[in-house]
Structure formats: structure tokens, C-alpha cells
Amino acid sequence: KKIYLIIIIISIFSSTYSQGWNNTITTTITPSSFQSADNFANKDGIHVLTIGNLNDNPTNNVRYNLLNSSGTIVRSYTFESGGSFPCITGDNNNVYAAYWKNQTIKTWKSTDAGSTWSDGAIDNITVLDQYCSSVDVTTDSRGIHIVYATRNSTSGPYETYYSKNNGFNISWTNYKNVTDYVANEVGGFPTVTTSANKVHVSYNNGVSVGDAKTRDYNITSESWETPQIVYASLSMGEKIIADGNYLHLFYYKPSESINNILHVRIIYHTKRLLNGTTWDTPIGLSGDSSPDNKIELSITVDGKLHVIYTSVNLFYRNYNGTSWSSEQIIASSGLLKPYSMCKAGNDLYCLWKEIGINDFVKYRQYNVAPSTPTSLSVNSSGFINLNWPANPEPDIQYYEVWRKINTGPFNLLT
């Protein structure tokens, strides 16, 4: 006689769960340490990297805070004084912090949820140029991908550069001047994303405003492809992100009249197939956006594309692959700068500070159903052993495993 034992994971319990945006929480991160910021979330919490000023001001600290999903600081760490363009990223086990200081891209690594940091695990990138317009970093299964733009004078053109580190070796590899395609190709304000077989870089072809362009590195052929012009007229900053099928680009278009109303800056979205060259007709998302030209993007496990941006208020919209949701205000207390957003699973985590108001940094979570556990393995050697990696959402409290014998009811396995 055979007895069939079925064991299935069917329940994940979150500390807080309500479909949509939770209430705004005031953190204890001080305003002086939040003049420029980035955040990244995994199973350990929301990792926040802040710099006290956008310029290389030696009196301002580069500071790390780990928040739990309730917005409470778990731990803090100060790297050093001075710096610009903070970036923080990682995977479910490692966290990487990068920023610009004194002609150097500095990179730190933590393997214990920010308890300790090493500035020697990954080499710093030293450049000859004195000025930097931005730094952007992302990670995938191949390692850390970084882009930055520098120039050697206050009026010369920026060049955009790319490098990769596998996350375990000290040295950076695959160094490339992305803007070397033609003699007069220049770029600035780059962003980077990756897909299955490509690295995608966007940049602004001009000193301050210019063409919105992208260029891809084909990992299979180990070659850089021809740059693509996405918008050939005075773009004011871009942001790029890839999902499983498409490459999405957001850019600013200045001074456009819509329904006889002059809008100062319009945010547009367009996309193309990952291996394509034809971009869709751009769709305008918002008018009169904030002059800081900041767009924050995330793609959640369920495939939705999420964006936040400012126009006095802080706005949120999402894209399900065919249509955009309506514009939703998630903060409305005046001009908001800076702000940052990241995702873990299907949840979003957003932070911001109000300009000119001496108040602590605000935090808000977009909370939806947890993502399904992945990579489940079952081993049987006298007993059944289930293994799976922890979900990336930091508000997961515990899992329940249920079993069913023959045709009987499911029972909680304890």
C-alpha cells in the first residue's frame, strides 16, 4: 500500500499588509544628512545611502542607514566626509555603496546587512577628470555594473564610461568609454540597466541638455552596438530600465504647449524590444515636473513598472504593459527633494524630504501581496527536507508549510 505525502508552501506572513500605499512614517533620519540619497531593499531591510550636499563639501558625511519595513533605524554607519551622487544596490545577501569624491568613484561592500563595511573588497575607480555629472549602479547575476560621466573643465563636454565587477574580485573589468562612437559624441547624466544578454546605458548628448541616447553592450558577442537616438532635441535628463521583454526610457522634454497651456517640463515614456531599434511613440506622463529632473523607477516581480516624480507634489504611476494608471499623489507638503524609491518583491519603498522644512525624512511603503517563494528544493533521506531562499521583502515574518496525505485535508506542518 502506498501513502502519498504532498507538502506545499501556501502561506507567507507579512508584518503589515494592506493593498496599496501604507501611511506616511516620519523616520529619525535628519534633514542635514539627506540632501542626496539612494535606497535599496532586500530581506534585511531598506538600505539608505545619504550625502549631506550635492557638492563635494567636506563637512557633509556619506552615511548609511538600515531601516526596517516600519521605517525604524536598525543601524547606521558613516563612511567619511564629503562626496556626491550616492548609489546603493545589491542582492539578497550583499550590499554595495558607491559615490564620487575627489576624482574617484569609491565603492564599499557589506556582507552582513550593513553591520560592517569594507572599502578594500572592491577597487575604487580613479579618473583624471575633475568634474562628474552623475553615477549610477545596478546589479544582476553577473555582478555590479557602473556608469559615470566626467569632464576636465567646467564648460567642456562630458564623456560617459562603463565598468563591471563580478562582486567577488577586487578589480573592475570591461572598461569602456561609451561615448567614443564618433569623434564628437559626448554624453552626461548616464543611467544603466541590464537584461538577459545585454547591458543598456542611456546618456544625454550635450553639456547640459541634448539628445536622449542609448547604447547597448551585447554580452553574447562581447561588443558594443551602435548608439540609438531616442529623442533628438534638448532632453533634460533620462532614466532607463529593462523588464523581461522591453527596454523603457523616460526623458524630459522642455517647454511644450498642451491644450493651450505652456508646460515647463514634460516627462515622456517610450519603449522598444530589448534587441530592437524601433522606439514606440512617446507618451507624456506629467506636465510641469520639478526642475531637479529626477525620475525614480522600479519593476516589481509581477512585471509592473513603477515611477515617481515631482511637480510640487510627489506623484506615483504604474504601467502594466499596456496602459498607465492615473496619477496618484503620495506626498503633498510642498516641493520635495530629494527622494528615492526601490523595490523588493512586489513592494515599493519610498523616502523623501521637504525643501526648506526642518523635519525628519519621510518614508512610505507600497505594500501588496508577497511574491511567491522561488527555487524550492526537496530532499528525502529518511525525512523530507524543504529548502528555498528567503523572500526579498523585508516585512516577511515567517512561512507556513502545509501537508496533505492521500486525499485527506491539508494540515499545518509543525
Side-chain angles (χ1 to χ4, degrees), residues 179-405:
T179 47
D180 66 352
Y181 184 68
V182 293
N184 61 348
E185 179 83 340
V186 296
F189 312 101
T191 65
V192 61
T193 188
T194 63
S195 57
N197 65 342
K198 287 189 175 184
V199 177
H200 311 270
V201 178
S202 73
Y203 55 93
N204 186 318
N205 185 243
V207 174
S208 57
V209 294
D211 301 340
K213 288 193 172 186
T214 66
R215 193 174 185 187
D216 295 350
Y217 174 69
N218 190 307
I219 296 170
T220 303
S221 63
E222 299 183 347
S223 62
W224 284 87
E225 298 177 356
T226 302
Q228 298 180 22
I229 297 178
V230 184
Y231 175 65
S233 178
L234 298 180
S235 173
M236 304 181 70
E238 297 82 42
K239 191 78 171 182
I240 199 170
I241 196 167
D243 60 25
N245 299 302
Y246 292 96
L247 181 65
H248 301 265
L249 184 81
F250 294 75
Y251 64 89
Y252 284 85
K253 184 177 179 181
S255 301
E256 181 177 4
S257 180
I258 300 177
N259 296 327
N260 296 318
I261 299 175
L262 181 64
H263 294 273
V264 179
R265 292 175 176 85
I266 312 294
I267 297 175
Y268 277 90
H269 164 247
T270 183
K271 70 181 190 300
R272 66 162 170 85
L273 292 171
L274 292 173
N275 294 313
T277 58
T278 302
W279 293 84
D280 288 356
T281 301
I283 297 174
L285 298 185
S286 177
D288 295 332
S289 56
S290 175
D292 65 358
N293 296 335
K294 187 174 176 64
I295 307 168
E296 288 287 299
L297 307 173
S298 289
I299 294 178
T300 45
V301 171
D302 58 11
K304 283 187 178 180
L305 170 60
H306 307 264
V307 57
I308 61 171
Y309 50 86
T310 59
S311 177
V312 179
N313 299 314
L314 185 61
F315 290 101
Y316 161 80
R317 296 183 75 172
N318 67 65
Y319 180 70
N320 63 10
T322 57
S323 61
W324 282 93
S325 68
S326 58
E327 199 171 57
Q328 180 181 355
I329 297 175
I330 61 174
S332 58
S333 300
L335 285 172
L336 299 140
K337 179 183 177 181
Y339 50 94
S340 58
M341 179 181 70
C342 64
K343 63 95 177 179
N346 290 321
D347 288 356
L348 303 172
Y349 308 92
C350 181
L351 296 102
W352 68 89
K353 175 188 174 292
E354 299 172 20
I355 296 176
I357 298 177
N358 188 21
D359 195 1
F360 292 103
V361 171
K362 302 296 192 298
Y363 159 78
R364 198 169 184 186
Q365 178 185 1
Y366 182 79
N367 197 16
V368 296
S371 55
T372 304
T374 60
S375 303
L376 174 66
S377 64
V378 181
N379 299 310
S380 178
S381 178
F383 59 91
I384 295 176
N385 184 16
L386 299 178
N387 290 283
W388 66 91
N391 274 48
E393 295 99 322
D395 60 353
I396 299 298
Q397 286 190 320
Y398 61 91
Y399 301 84
E400 284 187 352
V401 179
W402 293 64
R403 67 180 176 180
K404 181 178 184 180
I405 300 177

